[in-house]
Amino acid sequence: MTEVRKRHTVAIVGAGAAGALTAVQLCETATRRRTPLDVVLIDPAPEAGRGTAYGTRDPGHRLNVPAGNMSAYPDDSGHFTRWLCRHGEPEVTGADYATRHRYGAYLADTLGQAIVRAHGTVAVRRLRTRAESCTGTPDGRVELRLADGGQLTADAAVLATGPAAPTAAWAPPALRASPRFVGAPWVPGALDGAQDSTDDVLLVGTGLTAVDLALTLDRPGRTVHALSRNGLLPQPHTLGPAGVMPAPEDLHDTSLGRLRRAVYRHLSRSVRTHGDWRPGLDSLRPHITHLWRSLTPGEREEFLAREGSLWNTHRHRMAPATAEHVSRARTARRLQVHTGTVVRVTAPDGGPLAVELSGGRTLHVGWVVDCTGPGRRLDDPLWRALFASQSAVPGPLGMGAATRDGRLLDARGGAGLPLFTLGAPRRGELWETTAIPEIRVQAAELAQQLLAPLTRRPRTTRRPVDGQGLALTTHAEAAAAYRGGLDRVLKVRSGAQHAFARAVALDPGFALGHAALALLGHECGAAVDVPRALADAQRSARERADTRERSFVDVVTRRVTGDDGDEALVRHLRAYPADALALAAAVPTIAFSGVSDLHDDDALGLLDLTSPAYDGHWFHTSLLAFLRQGQGRLYEAGELAHRALAVEPASGHAVHALAHVHYESGAHEAGRDWLDRWVSGRGRGAVHRAHFSWHIALHELALDDAPAVRRRWFAQLAPGQVTGVRALVDSGSLLWRARLSDNWRGELPAADVLDSVEREVLERPATAFTALHVAVALTAAGDLPALRRLRDHALGADPVQREVVAPLCEAFAALVEERFGEAARGLEPLLPMLRRVGGSAAQREVVEESLLYTLVAAGRCDAARRLLDARLDRKPAPRDRRLLAALSG
């Protein structure tokens, strides 16, 4: 009898940032686990994700956290920045401060995408109303009574209600009764009267809310007054990174007095080290919750009274653009900040308000706006009902609600009803809990907690396998799609990305599918959101994967992040020699850059290690053929390639090996004709067809056939035919080699090649191999500023980029500026180091040809002749013989 799974229902009360992030995590986690789930969002707002914080449309209202720290996902820090780049802001970086309205759109879109991807597993619906009370049911569920008279029964509820509303207890009765008092400034239309008039305005409070409203209400002829007990405005963020420093070691297990002294000493060290207190303060952030919990209730109250405001003004800072606007307004006296409190207010009918301050000054203003921020006690109908029934109790110091890991505690101190919360309601427990970096972590943890009881143990059924017999943690249909993608990778044929994408669409929790996509995007330039695919792989591996799959995800993670990826890949192959995708990534061929610093003997060692797992398989034989030609054992390489092609005529690796055999042996006419026939026939489905065309063009260059090179370039290698990294590696390098050998006259269309490549690849190439070819294309285009930017990137990248690509950029810059002697001196010592970049000798040969050109241009003809003699000893070529004859004549 087939088991029928009961659908679990989770209600989320509140659809602002916290509610939206919780819904996103529930959708994605349940989908990965294939757990049926109903999610109900309860909120009267017209759009999910905005809430109070991100509903503003004022373009002057900016986030007070850089975009790089505002991702919806704790394990994918660049998600928001990439979203901005895809939605009309391609120049944005993680250090920029987006508008709050833009961020609301991002949250809404992220939730919408999560709902779409979860379709079939998770059903999400919105109820445009409020929840006003909550009671338990006999079966341990909760029943929510709604403002529209409806009811909703759920297995659990998440109260994502945001911060407590301000109480305006500071305001005299006459002010609270005045129509010129704005107690809730973020309610739509609340500021219409103040915006339509030119009367002066008093903002009570000097925090971030006051700063935003000061920008909104600022105009010529008006003075905006801001008042608080301390008169402190938020500090600004720095324009650039201020530095990083570790937290002090003497923070824990201490009294408030000792803690206070330790923090001030730490901030003093920060100022001495970095010239700024911000790195010191920011280093405390991961420790805030522990420190807050270590204080006694009395110490917490003392901290709030003595340091609370000072902490907030330094911890929650203004965006630089906002700070600049505030500074200009203060300089012009349009914004005036006062220290004190409101003592008395006279509100004549129809006239301005006379507001008397504690210092004796009286302000005459048309409007008073409450900007004091959230209150301590949650006071909407739902929370009042929960507190009244003792299903919830106030948190420490009366702030928010008492919880244990986000689950509400009742009056007995236990977890009563299945009620959870996150964000501002946990302020008494955590103190720092109102910012997105904290809320997104809580949302992910809540999703795990809510879904843990629903996750079934996998049944011990036979798992599907890949092409080499390795088990896959997925179902049969997704495994079939994965096998199709893997087969295409091994044959170097197109469609692998589509097949892997289909595998994860069929099973969003399939870790290997996500990892394969991340690998293709990182190393092959496939149109994949690599950080997103990598984060999905990591999440899926934690939840559902075997040891081999987790190891492979770790390998891909390390390769993408540059953290010991090569050694991890070799270790993985030693443990799992039959992992064909790992072997393809390790051996540098046409598909992947391979393990850098992997010499031929090391690569052959990997093939010897893995040979028993393949037993003469055409893929393994193809890789061996490629390595043999790299050793100069050309005859043996040719035999192996033909053997592999006899079994699998579409084997791109074998064809690639044979292309190198022809080129390195000087069989240019035979190599051109054989490869041209394959490209027109079996090679039509090759994913790197342009690279094979590049090999044909190399033969045509060697044969000194300039017209054929031009025809080949425009027919098969020009932008439009080739884009992305392939355009750099093949099209750009061919153009430069044609120019160097005088086989391209007239304008060189190198700029067209650069225009076809994503800016991120040009500015921040992920691998040294890509970086080398970026340098070549930029040199062909004569783009000196971009060459210098690439040099700066390489200096801060991995060791190979730092030690090979950076000096290469310097030498190429000298070449562009026609400082040929300096260029030659820069290029000569790099030749022995080029193997570290990866790729083939034929690809790296472009640097040698650049050196030859600079030697001739610098008048060092003897050195140029020696270089040409060595090349002709390796392989004959009519072009090289022509160049040598010209030098000798």
Side-chain angles (χ1 to χ4, degrees), residues 34 94 109 118 120 144 162 184 222 249 269 300 320 346 432 479 493 497 690 696 717 720 737 821 870:
R34 288 177 271 172
D109 185 58
L144 295 163
R222 161 184 282 172
E249 297 180 357
R269 283 194 298 270
R300 293 180 189 176
T346 304
E432 285 287 340
R493 298 189 69 77
Q497 177 189 342
I696 302 170
L717 289 163
R737 292 168 80 145

Side-chain angles (χ1 to χ4, degrees), residues 164 301 375-378 387 393-401 428:
E301 195 70 73
R376 285 196 180 189
R377 185 175 178 83
L378 298 164
F387 291 146
V393 293
L397 306 185
M399 293 192 295

Side-chain angles (χ1 to χ4, degrees), residues 589-673:
T589 61
I590 187 173
F592 298 98
S593 60
V595 174
S596 58
D597 289 335
L598 187 69
H599 299 295
D600 290 335
D601 290 343
D602 299 323
L604 287 166
L606 279 182
L607 288 185
D608 288 342
L609 172 72
T610 56
S611 179
Y614 291 88
D615 192 24
H617 191 277
W618 59 264
F619 168 64
H620 199 270
T621 303
S622 300
L623 294 183
L624 183 58
F626 187 80
L627 291 181
R628 289 300 187 213
Q629 65 79 27
Q631 290 180 302
R633 297 163 65 172
L634 300 181
Y635 179 80
E636 184 180 352
E639 289 293 308
L640 289 167
H642 283 298
R643 186 188 308 169
L645 288 168
V647 178
E648 179 48 75
S651 172
H653 289 300
V655 172
H656 192 215
L658 205 53
H660 279 277
V661 168
H662 287 138
Y663 184 71
E664 300 299 341
S665 63
H668 298 300
E669 291 181 347
R672 174 197 62 193
D673 296 342

Side-chain angles (χ1 to χ4, degrees), residues 718-720 722-725 727-728 731 750-758 762:
V722 191
T723 58
V725 174
L728 286 173
S731 310
D752 296 339
V753 173
L754 293 171
D755 288 342
S756 70
V757 183
E758 290 185 8
L762 297 177

